[in-house]
């Protein structure tokens, strides 16, 4: 399994995420609890911004193309496709 390095701002901490796990799960495994509620991509509680890198979704996320172009992702559904820099700010 391919593993990617995820940097989380503003805490400036790193954790590893496998290509088949969601960013929320990978963060939790590393001891970082990200905001969340529904875990199914519907509530947007987990919304955070991707400053660099690529993510993938099994199903199309409930985000507009414009939101995705601005970097918004749903970590409860997004899986990494590269190293990433994310910000909760
Ligand atoms: S936790 Fe609800 S959309 Fe991610």
């Amino acid at each position: 399994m391919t593993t990617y390095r995820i940097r989380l701002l503003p805490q400036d901490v790193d954790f590893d995420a496998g290509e088949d796990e969601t960013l929320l799960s990978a963060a939790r495994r590393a001891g970082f609890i990200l905001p969340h509620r529904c875990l199914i991509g519907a509530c947007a509680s987990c919304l955070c911004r991707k400053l660099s890198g690529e993510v993938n979704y099994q199903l199309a996320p409930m985000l507009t193309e414009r939101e995705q172009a601005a970097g918004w992702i749903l970590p409860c559904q997004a899986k990494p496709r590269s190293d990433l820099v994310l910000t909760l700010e």
Side-chain angles (χ1 to χ4, degrees):
M1 178 175 74
T2 305
T3 300
Y4 298 106
R5 197 74 182 153
I6 316 299
R7 171 152 292 180
L8 188 61
L9 304 175
Q11 293 90 338
D12 202 21
V13 293
D14 289 352
F15 61 92
D16 290 330
E19 62 184 345
D20 287 333
E21 66 182 335
T22 67
L23 294 169
L24 194 77
S25 294
R28 181 167 27 199
R29 188 171 43 73
F32 305 115
I33 306 299
L34 303 182
H36 64 279
R37 277 177 53 201
C38 74
L39 299 179
I40 59 169
C43 73
S45 296
C46 64
L47 196 65
C48 78
R49 196 138 175 245
K50 172 173 63 70
L51 299 181
S52 67
E54 296 299 325
V55 298
N56 188 39
Y57 295 92
Q58 189 166 357
L59 299 172
M62 292 178 66
L63 295 169
T64 65
E65 285 187 16
R66 193 170 165 181
E67 288 168 334
Q68 291 185 68
W72 294 108
I73 65 166
L74 296 173
C76 72
Q77 297 296 302
K79 298 175 180 178
R81 282 297 169 266
S82 71
D83 292 342
L84 295 169
V85 179
L86 307 178
T87 180
L88 298 173
E89 287 186 307

